[in-house]
Each structure stands twice: as C-alpha cells, then as structure tokens.
Amino acid sequence: MTTAETPSLKSYCLDVAERAHRASRQLSTLSTEVKNRWLLQSADALLQHEAEIQKTNTLDLQAAAGFGLTDAEVDRLRLTSDRIAAIAKGLREIAALPDPIGQVIEGFRRPNGLQIIKRRVPLGVVFFIYESRPNVTADAAAICVKSGNAVILRGGKEAAHSSAAIVEILNKTAAEVGLPADAVQLVSTADRDAVGHFLGMHELIDVTIPRGGESLIRRVASEATMPVIKHYDGNCHVYVDRDANLDQAVEIAVNSKCHRMGVCNACESLLVHRDVADTFLPQIAAALAQHDVEIVGDPQTCQRVPAASAATEADWSTEYLGPKISVRVVDDLESAIEHINRYGSHHTDAIVTKDLAASERFTDAIDSAAVMVNASTRFNDGGEFGLGAEIGISTDKFHARGPCGLTELTSYKYVVNGQGQVRS
Amino acid sequence: MTTAETPSLKSYCLDVAERAHRASRQLSTLSTEVKNRWLLQSADALLQHEAEIQKTNTLDLQAAAGFGLTDAEVDRLRLTSDRIAAIAKGLREIAALPDPIGQVIEGFRRPNGLQIIKRRVPLGVVFFIYESRPNVTADAAAICVKSGNAVILRGGKEAAHSSAAIVEILNKTAAEVGLPADAVQLVSTADRDAVGHFLGMHELIDVTIPRGGESLIRRVASEATMPVIKHYDGNCHVYVDRDANLDQAVEIAVNSKCHRMGVCNACESLLVHRDVADTFLPQIAAALAQHDVEIVGDPQTCQRVPAASAATEADWSTEYLGPKISVRVVDDLESAIEHINRYGSHHTDAIVTKDLAASERFTDAIDSAAVMVNASTRFNDGGEFGLGAEIGISTDKFHARGPCGLTELTSYKYVVNGQGQVRS
C-alpha cells in the first residue's frame, strides 16, 4: 500500500499516478503466466490470512456507526469467512479467463505486401473510484491487472482498513511472483481533493471508472480530463406489447422490478399497450402488491388500478431503486419506443411480445445498451452475459457499452510488417 | 444548409444540435440502400453542378488574400474540374464500402437459452471541425452518413462559400432520396463562440472530431464535454537497428521524412544504433541533403555529420512538419524504445531490422497507434490500411486508435432474445 509521505496532497497524487504509469508499461508486456500466478497465489494468501483480515475488518465495523451507516450497509462491510472465500474464488475465476492482451482482432495482407495486424493492448492506467464494499477492492484489482492495466483504487473510507489489508496481501504476492510493485495502489488518504487531482492527470491516467451514487458519477464525469466509463442511473423499462403472453409479462415485469430493487438494471417503469391494459393491469397490480411495490400511473392506469396514485412528469424519469414503479398505458409500439428513448437512461429496456415485427422494430429503435426480448432486464450483467467478470456497466456509446469485462479495459495497436515498402 | 435565423447564437447552435439529434434517430435505422442512393446521386449532382460550384468557389478564392492565405493554401482551396470529379469519385467509393450498421460483432447462446447478439449501431451525432479544404466537406459528410450518423460540419471560413455549395447539393439529394433533411448540416456562422456552444452539448452530440493545428485540437479537447477523436501531433520515429539492411533503412527513412513533409505520419526523428552509426549516418545525411532537409543531432551524430547542428532537448519533442529532422545515436534497442515512448506522440514509429527478436520487442514495447517493421511511417493511413475512407487518425487508446474509418464511427448494442427467462 502506498503511504502519504510526500509533502503535499498534489505531489502525493502525482507520485501515485507516475508509479502507476511506469508499472503499466511493464504490465503491458507481462506474460499471462505471471498475471495468473499472482491471481492464484493471492487467492491462497487471502485464505491464509483470513484471521488477520477479519481482525482489520473489525476496525471498519467499529467505525461504521460514526459514518452513519445503516444496518444493511454495515452488513455489506462485514468480511465473514464465506465472503473471504468468495473473494478468493473470484480471483481464481479471473485467472481462468482468457487473457485479452495480445489477441489479434483482425489481420490481413495489403496488395503491396504489408501485413497488418490489429492487436489488443491494455489501456494503461485505470483510476477506479468505488463505494464501501471491500470485496470490490480485490475484484477490481484482479480485472485491471489481468487485462494488463495498472490500477489506482480509491475506495470508500468506510472500508479503508479492510481494503488496505486486502491490497497489502495483493502487493506482497506481487513481489513474490514478479508483478510490478505499483500495479495495484490504494489511495491512502481520505482527502476528497485527491480525487480532483487524479481527475486532472490525463497524461498519466487513461480511464476513470466511478461506481456509486449518481451525484458522485456526475462530479467525476464533469471534472475528469480523461475518458470515463460510467452509467449515471438505470431507469429501465418493461413494455408489454399487444401481442404479449400476459403470464410471461407478469413474470418478467415482477422479476425485473423485484428480484433486486436497489440495482441499476431493475425495472423502474412499465409501459402497457392499451389493447391489453384492461386484462394486464389488474394482474400486475396484484403481483406487485405481493412485493409491497407502490404504483404511480397515468390517468388510464389509475382508472384500472385503484391502489395507484397519479404519476407526475418527474416520475417518468425517476430511478426509484426501491419498492415503487411508474406505469403508463401507451397507444402503440411507437409510443412506447418514443417514451423509452425520451425518459429512459439508455441502460436496459425490455419488450414482451409474440409478434416478430414488433420485436424487430423495438430492438432496432430502442437506443439502449441492452435491449431484451421476452427476458428480464436483470440479465444485463457481465456474469449473466458470460463475460466472467465485470468492472461496471456503461451507458455510453463510446468505447464500451453495456457490461464491461476484461476486453472493455483494452485498446489495440496496429502492427505493420513490411519488407522495405515505401509510399510512392 | 442551416441558416442563422434564430435570435441568439446559442439558440441557433442548440437548434442545429437538436435537428441533428432527431435526424440521427432516423438515420440509425435507415436502409443501406437509401444511404447509398444518396451517395451515388450526390456524386452525379456534384458533376452536374460543376459550373455553379466553381463559380461559388471563386468567391472563396477572391476572399483568400483577405485571410492572408499563402499561394499553396489558395491552391488547396481551388475546385478544379479534376478535384470536383475526385470528390464525386470519393462519394462513389464510400457507397461501395460495406455498411457497418447492423453488423453482428459477436453472438452466442447462454446456458439458460438467452441468445445474445452484439450488434453495431451508429454513435449518433458527429461534430466535425476542420480547416479549409472544401473536398473534406463532402468526404466527412459521406463517411458520417454512411455509418448512420448525423453530422454537424464546422468548416474553415476560408472555404465557406464552396462548402455551402457542396452541402446544398448533398441536402437537395437527401430530399430526393428520403434521407433525413438534417443528416448533414453546415454551421452557417463564422462566430468562433459557436464551437464553444456545441462543445457543451454532450446530451445531443456524441463525439467531436477536430482536424487542424495542434492549438485548435488542444482547445477542443479541453472544452469538449463529449468524447473527442483526435491526435495532437505526429512526432514519428524511424529507428535503424544494429541489424538493419542499411540500404533499406535509407530508403525507408527518406520516404518517411520526405514523401510529404507536412503530414502527421511523416518522420520527425531518426534513431540510429551506435554499431551502425559510422556507416549509416553519412549515407542518410547525403540522402537527406538531396531533399534539403536540415539535420539537428546529438553530439555523436554531429561528430559524424559535419552539416548537422546540435539538437536541443526541445527538438526531441518537436514535430517540424517541414524540411528538418532530429537524429540521435542510441546504445541499444531498449534506449530507442525508451526515447520513443518518452518523446514521441504515440502516432507512428518504425524499426528497420533483420532481427526477429528486435522486431518483436519493438512492436510489443512501443506504445503507439501504429508500429511499423521495415516499412515507411507514411503507411499509417486509412487508405493504405484498406479502410476505404478515413475521417482522422487517433492517437488515443479509448474507442478508436489509428486511422478512423466507418467502423470507428460506430458503437454497439446488446440485443437479447429470450423465451420468458427471469433471474433466479
């Protein structure tokens, strides 16, 4: 772990970024074998040092009340035996994934004999800002290093001790296997200005990935001088088409909304074709009532669902992240598409339909990272997509969209092999 | 062409961006057939209206002196018959390229039966800022629209009349073939503040591409609130290894430096392994002298090349864009790599060698968009790479690196087809 021995905050940050930059140069050509050995030995070391990690974790748990954490938040902070085992398992899973670096994306020979290869390379240095769950520390470090990047970790202060203990183990293993010492650095100061300093260093840091509340992410996106992989929010929709299997629609809407309410790919808004509103709305209202989900709706919904209250214009843009949903009756497929593209956050939107043309039109016209047909919005996830690991979900169209795994942390270079060719 | 009828500059810019945004929605699902018909009919229309275009071009040529253009710059502004024919030919070539939109990048089925397809989609709206050559107007419009994007063109004021005439023809053809009217818009005001307004509109504009001098590009990169595809400069190197074929090295270095001196992929700096310095330096000095290229060098170079003067530290970072080159003798391959990664602009760097290990180490370790082995740096170019069309060359690692053609102006979405799957 890096310590703040340098005179000022800014020079401390600069030193961290420069170390990361130098480490990234070495990492870019490091063999898969060394990276995997680091992952596997780190997994072993985490298990061996379980008792010490838990002891350190106690310091965070004791401090939690002072940070005003809720019981649920304190629980997420706790590193039980099972959770440490899960972290170790996560590292092993990342070791088992194919190394994206060196992969040839394309290769061809030009008429003049030049052989051109487009080869995957790391981005360089990742600045990762995240909230308090200490397991994310190990996970993010593993994903970044496996994809050949150095990482600067800025974790939540609530998990500071636990994250430091984990990074110490990762770094000790790094020294043993020959991974650059500064491949993984944890920012050791809680000073909020440190983030601002790092966000200005676009010549040393290649990408910033913020994870957390929308206000944090907006701050990072507006201050960052380098590219940012992010999503602000997840106002996800389920649209129940005229030709939907309504039983399936209930199941998909309930799963999308209720499977886990506090996450970005949970459904926040339900659109219902007017031709099925009479039948479907009472069904879904009853099903959502079982999960204590409050309904706000447009006048047509409120007419059919006595428990619903009137939605405001602001509701259509709101990500509730809890037991509340907005519901609107729409005239047709095109109105649904217009509503979603206007109010949604381009994250995940689903249609339930048996009509092939409706499905095709919806997937073509919806401008979102993932468009689901007859499936829950909850499937927009690196694990569910089979990426093996995920550092975030992007709603941007630039560079990476949707779940971001190892490949999304890479760039490419063109390698051109000639036999003396010059341009004429 | 859009005219500035709106009350204030800002509302004019907002109107242009909103039109572009709406047009981009339509363009994203427009058939390849309509886009190609627009390209082909526009090519015909440009030829048919050749006389009018040339008449309008005269206005720019007459105004050129007032802008203080050099004779060479005035010449580049001139739309001769041949140049108009070349523009039309360029549009036909872009029509002949495969449409990237709708392309399936990846597709697979998950164990739970979900079929996941990663499908190419347009970025949306491109804000393109460029200098005075009017042929770029047609070229950029064609590349953006073929890749399903709407484009806002901000051309140099020196070519304002010619660009307007070309865009008028493109828009007239758009109306005929059913392309959205605002697919191509030319910013009609010369007010420099307009650029600042557009750069703030990240919710309407998806990417900005600036082309021109380094100061313009630095301004755009620092002000833009959306991603930027760019390169600042091209400080490109040729490294002559101990095991180089020295005749080939002379040819490659001369071609890299002298084929066209004012371009970003021209060589600005030559590194020579000390073991071949005695033989090679007099040869290359003689060859460069024939092209009137001035040499600045380190002490070891100056010892061997009487005509060379001493290079300053600043020379190693300088892109001359003219008849001057910096030359340094290096101890070994690793010193060459270190020099290039430190002083270069990560654009294009070449090694001349017969040694396989040296070639592999160089291509691995050099952190540039294109790394050439035994070939001229001048080959880093969309046309030479076979992309068919190029809107710029990126030295960034994010999204697109190297020459940017149609594919680099796209993003993707995940389309997930299920049969009622929910998450458990």
Side-chain angles (χ1 to χ4, degrees):
Chain A
M1 187 192 149
T2 312
T3 51
E5 290 166 351
T6 40
S8 77
L9 182 66
K10 190 174 176 183
S11 66
Y12 163 72
C13 295
L14 189 63
D15 181 56
V16 169
E18 281 173 346
R19 283 165 185 270
H21 189 69
R22 281 193 297 270
S24 77
R25 283 281 157 79
Q26 289 175 263
L27 276 165
S28 72
T29 56
L30 201 70
S31 72
T32 308
E33 199 190 340
V34 173
K35 294 187 283 190
N36 284 348
R37 205 180 306 142
W38 173 71
L39 290 164
L40 296 172
Q41 277 191 216
S42 294
D44 293 344
L46 285 168
L47 296 179
Q48 281 158 21
H49 295 85
E50 189 193 301
E52 290 139 83
I53 295 172
Q54 288 187 315
K55 206 172 144 195
T56 313
N57 182 239
T58 312
L59 299 175
D60 287 330
L61 295 173
Q62 284 164 353
F67 292 127
L69 296 197
T70 64
D71 286 352
E73 286 167 336
V74 174
D75 179 62
R76 272 185 290 182
L77 211 54
R78 192 180 311 276
L79 286 173
T80 61
S81 252
D82 283 357
R83 284 190 183 159
I84 294 171
I87 293 173
K89 184 165 169 271
L91 297 186
R92 290 205 188 94
E93 283 169 359
I94 291 168
L97 291 174
D99 189 340
I101 301 309
Q103 213 181 70
V104 173
I105 303 170
E106 258 187 287
F108 47 92
R109 200 179 285 277
R110 295 289 302 153
N112 62 1
L114 286 181
Q115 185 184 297
I116 300 184
I117 279 171
K118 199 171 165 181
R119 190 202 281 174
R120 220 176 265 297
V121 300
L123 284 172
V125 176
V126 177
F127 177 38
F128 184 61
I129 306 170
Y130 57 108
E131 291 188 332
S132 49
R133 295 221 317 268
N135 61 312
V136 176
T137 301
D139 212 36
I143 295 175
C144 290
V145 169
K146 175 78 186 226
S147 54
N149 297 287
V151 64
I152 300 170
L153 298 164
R154 164 67 177 208
K157 58 184 181 309
E158 300 83 357
H161 296 95
S162 315
S163 289
I166 291 169
V167 170
E168 204 183 320
I169 289 170
L170 297 179
N171 283 346
K172 197 160 160 283
T173 315
E176 288 163 17
V177 304
L179 197 83
D182 297 314
V184 178
Q185 291 180 89
L186 181 68
V187 177
S188 64
T189 167
D191 194 326
R192 293 189 62 181
D193 292 342
V195 171
H197 288 309
F198 285 119
L199 293 179
M201 297 177 183
H202 61 92
E203 300 201 335
L204 296 169
I205 298 174
D206 297 277
V207 61
T208 294
I209 306 178
R211 242 160 64 173
E214 192 181 334
S215 66
L216 167 77
I217 297 171
R218 290 209 179 266
R219 179 200 161 192
V220 168
S222 85
E223 273 186 48
T225 56
M226 69 289 287
V228 176
I229 294 178
K230 64 173 192 303
H231 69 264
Y232 292 126
D233 60 354
N235 180 17
C236 304
H237 297 75
V238 172
Y239 164 61
V240 180
D241 190 38
R242 178 173 52 189
D243 290 314
N245 171 333
L246 294 187
D247 292 339
Q248 207 174 67
V250 170
E251 223 184 325
I252 287 171
V254 168
N255 187 263
S256 298
K257 176 71 222 171
C258 308
H259 180 256
R260 227 177 117 192
M261 298 208 194
V263 293
C264 60
N265 58 14
C267 172
E268 305 289 1
S269 206
L270 182 66
L271 304 177
V272 181
H273 193 288
R274 63 175 177 191
D275 290 359
V276 295
D278 284 337
T279 321
F280 180 70
L281 283 173
Q283 288 179 29
I284 189 68
L288 290 172
Q290 288 179 10
H291 292 270
D292 296 317
V293 175
E294 177 192 346
I295 296 177
V296 294
D298 70 328
Q300 297 210 55
T301 299
C302 292
Q303 274 169 28
R304 293 169 176 94
V305 179
S309 54
T312 63
E313 176 69 13
D315 275 307
W316 307 123
S317 310
T318 301
E319 183 189 30
Y320 301 112
L321 293 173
K324 187 171 176 184
I325 192 168
S326 63
V327 182
R328 183 174 214 166
V329 175
V330 294
D331 286 346
D332 52 20
L333 174 64
E334 291 306 319
S335 311
I337 290 168
E338 210 185 297
H339 178 101
I340 293 171
N341 281 339
R342 178 170 170 192
Y343 294 105
S345 32
H346 311 290
H347 192 294
T348 314
D349 299 289
I351 184 174
V352 185
T353 190
K354 292 180 287 184
D355 179 356
L356 181 59
S359 147
E360 285 180 348
R361 173 67 189 151
F362 190 84
T363 54
D364 277 353
I366 291 293
D367 185 22
S368 296
V371 186
M372 327 295 281
V373 179
N374 298 327
S376 169
T377 57
R378 290 279 296 127
F379 285 111
N380 185 9
D381 172 278
E384 295 294 329
F385 277 18
L387 304 190
E390 175 187 289
I391 196 157
I393 296 180
S394 159
T395 54
D396 287 320
K397 288 189 193 170
F398 211 70
H399 187 75
R401 201 179 193 197
C404 296
L406 296 176
T407 306
E408 286 69 29
L409 290 176
T410 67
S411 178
Y412 54 83
K413 67 164 68 158
Y414 284 99
V415 175
V416 180
N417 275 286
Q419 302 79 35
Q421 284 87 341
V422 295
R423 253 181 98 169
S424 51
Chain B
M1 189 192 149
T2 313
T3 51
E5 290 168 351
T6 39
S8 77
L9 183 67
K10 190 174 176 181
S11 66
Y12 162 72
C13 295
L14 188 63
D15 181 56
V16 169
E18 281 174 345
R19 283 165 184 271
H21 189 69
R22 282 193 297 271
S24 77
R25 283 282 156 78
Q26 289 175 263
L27 275 165
S28 72
T29 57
L30 201 70
S31 72
T32 308
E33 199 190 341
V34 172
K35 294 187 283 191
N36 284 348
R37 205 182 303 142
W38 173 72
L39 290 164
L40 296 172
Q41 278 192 215
S42 294
D44 293 343
L46 285 168
L47 297 178
Q48 281 157 23
H49 295 85
E50 189 194 299
E52 290 140 81
I53 295 171
Q54 288 187 314
K55 207 173 143 192
T56 314
N57 181 238
T58 312
L59 299 174
D60 287 330
L61 296 173
Q62 284 164 354
F67 293 127
L69 296 195
T70 64
D71 286 353
E73 286 167 336
V74 174
D75 179 61
R76 273 185 291 182
L77 211 54
R78 194 180 309 275
L79 287 172
T80 61
S81 252
D82 283 357
R83 285 190 182 160
I84 294 172
I87 294 173
K89 184 165 168 269
L91 298 186
R92 290 206 186 94
E93 283 169 1
I94 291 169
L97 292 173
D99 189 340
I101 302 308
Q103 211 180 73
V104 174
I105 303 170
E106 260 188 286
F108 48 92
R109 199 178 287 277
R110 296 289 302 155
N112 62 2
L114 285 181
Q115 184 185 298
I116 300 185
I117 280 172
K118 198 171 165 183
R119 190 203 281 174
R120 220 176 263 296
V121 301
L123 284 172
V125 176
V126 178
F127 177 37
F128 184 61
I129 307 171
Y130 58 108
E131 291 189 334
S132 50
R133 293 219 320 269
N135 60 310
V136 177
T137 302
D139 212 36
I143 295 175
C144 290
V145 169
K146 175 78 186 231
S147 53
N149 297 286
V151 62
I152 300 170
L153 298 165
R154 163 67 175 208
K157 58 184 181 313
E158 301 82 358
H161 296 95
S162 314
S163 290
I166 291 169
V167 171
E168 204 183 320
I169 290 170
L170 296 179
N171 283 345
K172 198 160 159 283
T173 315
E176 288 164 17
V177 304
L179 197 84
D182 297 313
V184 177
Q185 292 179 90
L186 181 69
V187 177
S188 65
T189 168
D191 194 328
R192 291 189 63 181
D193 291 342
V195 172
H197 288 309
F198 285 119
L199 293 179
M201 298 177 184
H202 61 93
E203 301 202 336
L204 296 169
I205 298 174
D206 297 276
V207 60
T208 294
I209 306 178
R211 240 161 63 174
E214 191 181 335
S215 66
L216 167 77
I217 297 172
R218 292 211 177 263
R219 180 202 159 188
V220 168
S222 84
E223 275 187 46
T225 56
M226 68 289 287
V228 175
I229 293 178
K230 64 172 191 303
H231 69 264
Y232 291 127
D233 60 354
N235 181 17
C236 304
H237 297 74
V238 171
Y239 164 60
V240 180
D241 191 37
R242 178 174 51 189
D243 290 313
N245 171 333
L246 294 187
D247 291 339
Q248 207 175 65
V250 170
E251 224 184 325
I252 287 171
V254 168
N255 187 263
S256 298
K257 178 69 222 172
C258 308
H259 180 256
R260 227 178 118 191
M261 299 208 192
V263 293
C264 59
N265 57 15
C267 171
E268 305 290 3
S269 206
L270 182 66
L271 304 177
V272 181
H273 192 288
R274 62 176 177 190
D275 290 359
V276 295
D278 283 338
T279 321
F280 180 71
L281 284 173
Q283 287 179 29
I284 189 69
L288 289 172
Q290 288 179 10
H291 293 269
D292 296 317
V293 175
E294 178 192 346
I295 296 178
V296 294
D298 70 329
Q300 297 210 56
T301 300
C302 292
Q303 275 170 25
R304 293 167 175 96
V305 180
S309 53
T312 64
E313 175 70 13
D315 275 307
W316 308 124
S317 309
T318 301
E319 182 190 31
Y320 302 112
L321 293 173
K324 187 171 177 184
I325 193 168
S326 62
V327 182
R328 183 173 214 166
V329 175
V330 294
D331 286 347
D332 53 20
L333 174 64
E334 291 307 319
S335 312
I337 291 168
E338 210 185 299
H339 178 102
I340 294 171
N341 281 339
R342 176 167 172 199
Y343 295 104
S345 33
H346 311 290
H347 193 293
T348 314
D349 299 290
I351 184 174
V352 186
T353 190
K354 291 179 287 184
D355 179 357
L356 181 58
S359 147
E360 285 179 349
R361 173 67 189 150
F362 190 84
T363 55
D364 277 353
I366 291 293
D367 186 21
S368 296
V371 186
M372 328 297 279
V373 179
N374 298 328
S376 169
T377 57
R378 289 279 294 127
F379 284 112
N380 185 9
D381 172 278
E384 295 295 329
F385 277 17
L387 304 189
E390 176 188 288
I391 196 156
I393 295 180
S394 160
T395 54
D396 288 321
K397 288 191 194 168
F398 210 70
H399 187 73
R401 200 178 194 199
C404 296
L406 295 176
T407 306
E408 288 69 30
L409 291 177
T410 67
S411 178
Y412 54 84
K413 65 164 71 158
Y414 284 99
V415 174
V416 181
N417 276 284
Q419 302 79 37
Q421 284 87 340
V422 294
R423 253 181 99 168
S424 53

